[in-house]
Amino acid sequence: DGGITQSPKYLFRKEGQNVTLSCEQNLNHDAMYWYRQDPGQGLRLIYYSQIVNDFQKGDIAEGYSVSREKKESFPLTVTSAQKNPTAFYLCASSSDGTRYGYTFGSGTRLTVV
Amino acid sequence: AQKVTQAQTEISVVEKEDVTLDCVYETRDTTYYLFWYKQPPSGELVFLIRRNSFDEQNEISGRYSWNFQKSTSSFNFTITASQVVDSAVYFCALSGLNSGGYQKVTFGTGTKLQVIP
């Protein structure tokens, strides 16, 4: 079955460490996105990529980095520069910009300990 | 600038009651798309419906129905005869079809629906 796989489901990070969240899709979608979800807030866009080897900052990119070396993969690194990284992170993909909606992964819950 | 407002933070209903989730949006685009997503406790957002700005026909899918009114910039979602499995957070979203290659999607803050058996 086609879909988006995010791993790990839960992740714990010590302060000052970088961590990488994985996102893999087998839908042959060109565009991929990373969102952050905090309690009581909507989804906020971190980074997006419309094609391989290209990505753009979203609304809250500070403290995060991404790469898009393969169409199927769009990993997100949460760096030590992100001061409040505890959140739920969702990866999404789409085939035609945003006109047809997104397919989402099941998310990664990151906690700083 | 785009904005999506879901004024209802949490709603509780007893099973079999009807419930309407409100969504009000703001956009300067003449062509845009509206979406509803469901987020069950498992966390994954599930796509429910998409409407474009030129199609104001209401839609019904089983127990779900959507009322799109451009005059009031609203895209409300009604669940008829609610069930416990409907308990989730529901997000309304807006996508603008503008130039520049990226069509920004703006999400509302979500409405948490609890259906009590």
Side-chain angles (χ1 to χ4, degrees), chain A residues 9 33 35 37 40-45 48 50 59 88 90 96-107, chain B residues 33 35 37 39 42-47 50 89 91 95-97 100-110:
Chain A
K9 192 170 180 66
Y33 312 83
Y35 282 89
Q37 184 179 13
Q41 299 192 37
L43 277 65
R44 293 184 290 168
L45 181 65
Y48 65 97
Q50 293 180 280
D59 299 321
F88 188 56
L90 284 158
D96 185 4
T98 58
R99 288 183 289 179
Y100 293 100
Y102 293 158
T103 299
F104 280 89
S106 56
Chain B
Y33 298 87
F35 305 88
Y37 289 88
Q39 186 179 39
S42 60
E44 180 177 345
L45 268 76
V46 178
F47 170 84
R50 161 188 172 264
V89 180
F91 288 94
S95 169
L97 186 63
Y102 174 62
Q103 300 137 351
K104 179 172 180 160
V105 176
T106 301
F107 286 84
T109 52

Side-chain angles (χ1 to χ4, degrees), chain A residues 19-20 34 46-47 55 61-67 75-79:
Chain A
V19 291
T20 297
W34 274 105
I46 304 172
Y47 268 98
F55 50 83
E62 185 175 350
Y64 300 97
S65 65
V66 294
S67 63
L76 173 74
T77 296
V78 184
T79 74

Side-chain angles (χ1 to χ4, degrees), chain A residues 11-19 63 78-85 110-113:
Chain A
L11 186 58
F12 297 89
R13 188 195 95 169
K14 293 182 180 179
E15 287 194 18
Q17 281 185 338
N18 293 353
V19 291
V78 184
T79 74
S80 56
Q82 171 50 241
K83 297 306 177 188
N84 184 23
L110 173 63
T111 303
V112 174
V113 296

Side-chain angles (χ1 to χ4, degrees), chain A residues 27 69 71-72:
Chain A
L27 300 164
E69 297 176 1
K71 188 175 186 178
E72 302 79 17

